[in-house]
Amino acid sequence: MRKFTVWLSAALVMVVAGTGLLSAQNPAVAAKAPSGTPSQALYAQHCAGCHGVNGDGNGPAAAFLFPKPRNFRFGKYRLVSTENSVPSQADLDALLVRGMPGSSMPPWAHLKPTDRALLVQEVYRLTAEGARERYLANLKETQG
């Protein structure tokens, strides 16, 4: 039953993504998506529909997915080859190429390697942004 649920979630994402509802072409998503850099534009086009404009895992499709999309801002990753649990660029590129087994994350092997590298850069940026926010909130708590 779980395999069917994952398959159904993946199929739903593909159908909705194919309609443009989750991409940068959708005015609702595009209006919220920062597009200052090429990496942000690619993220808005390919990732924000599930992972959210800010990388918090709360994109428009997240309500329909199980398991929920990764919250990049939290900085916790499952498939890493490093001892410090921070994924290497190769780890994230491999994930983009093969997708995430057992989830609705499809493979993105059809993207150019340069585009995948930009998406990896954007994931790192979102993770760093989340770490900065947590640090500032913690600092505020300890001082306040």
Side-chain angles (χ1 to χ4, degrees):
M1 184 64 166
R2 177 163 161 73
K3 281 186 179 182
F4 176 75
T5 304
V6 169
W7 179 86
L8 186 60
S9 294
L12 176 66
V13 168
M14 295 304 223
V15 168
V16 175
T19 65
L21 293 174
L22 302 180
S23 71
Q25 289 80 24
N26 179 348
V29 173
K32 297 178 186 175
S35 58
T37 66
S39 63
Q40 289 173 329
L42 276 169
Y43 178 88
Q45 182 179 3
H46 299 293
C47 310
C50 296
H51 293 283
V53 171
N54 296 317
D56 59 5
N58 292 319
F64 304 103
L65 302 178
F66 181 81
K68 295 295 181 200
R70 175 80 47 206
N71 178 345
F72 298 130
R73 298 180 90 70
F74 196 59
K76 298 237 180 196
Y77 297 91
R78 279 187 23 209
L79 303 177
V80 297
S81 63
T82 59
E83 290 184 24
N84 64 0
S85 297
V86 175
S88 68
Q89 290 180 352
D91 291 336
L92 293 176
D93 185 61
L95 178 73
L96 286 171
V97 167
R98 74 172 176 271
M100 176 61 85
S103 78
S104 302
M105 170 78 175
W108 294 96
H110 63 282
L111 294 178
K112 293 184 244 174
T114 53
D115 287 349
R116 291 195 315 267
L118 287 170
L119 289 173
V120 167
Q121 176 184 335
E122 186 62 13
V123 168
Y124 281 144
R125 186 189 72 77
L126 293 168
T127 301
E129 208 173 80
R132 180 179 182 275
E133 287 173 0
R134 287 190 308 281
Y135 172 77
L136 292 175
N138 188 31
L139 189 63
K140 195 175 200 178
E141 281 180 21
T142 59
Q143 291 179 350

